Amino acid sequence: MAKIASDRTTIDLFAQDKRPGRPKTNPLPREEQLKLNKRNQIKRDRSKGLKRIEFKVSDQLYDALSQQADKAEMTRSAYIEHILTQVLTR
């Protein structure tokens, strides 16, 4: 029996064929997946009582915060929250 390249109904004939690219596991395009995941993350954070704060800092401050957080064995986010809590409770 001849194998026709466009015939994909006979799975056993095509078991060794590798398809290029990453397998499609989600019907949404990647951009939509990212938006949906971010929206879900924000919902989870809100349900935990967390609010989002964004700010821009210099490279030196960023590196210093990262190093101090590593020394304290904390994430940078947790370290910044710790510093802010200390300052506000004084």
Side-chain angles (χ1 to χ4, degrees):
M1 179 171 134
K3 175 168 122 173
I4 299 172
S6 62
D7 179 20
R8 294 285 173 187
T9 57
T10 317
I11 295 171
D12 59 331
L13 292 176
F14 298 94
Q16 273 62 26
D17 286 359
K18 298 277 186 190
R19 289 196 170 188
R22 76 188 250 276
K24 187 167 183 133
T25 58
N26 196 320
L28 297 175
R30 187 71 181 141
E31 218 171 276
E32 290 298 318
Q33 289 178 39
L34 293 174
K35 286 180 185 178
L36 182 64
N37 289 343
K38 191 62 168 177
R39 193 176 306 128
N40 289 338
Q41 179 187 13
I42 291 170
K43 284 180 185 177
R44 280 193 310 271
D45 289 347
R46 282 187 186 150
S47 69
K48 293 177 184 176
L50 301 174
K51 300 279 185 181
R52 186 174 187 84
I53 298 175
E54 292 185 33
F55 55 95
K56 296 178 183 179
V57 296
S58 66
D59 286 340
Q60 294 87 3
L61 180 57
Y62 180 87
D63 292 338
L65 285 169
S66 295
Q67 288 174 359
Q68 292 298 319
D70 287 343
K71 284 181 186 176
E73 296 182 356
M74 302 170 82
T75 64
R76 191 173 41 255
S77 176
Y79 185 71
I80 293 170
E81 183 177 356
H82 175 71
I83 291 172
L84 289 172
T85 304
Q86 281 184 334
V87 168
L88 291 175
T89 55
R90 287 185 193 172

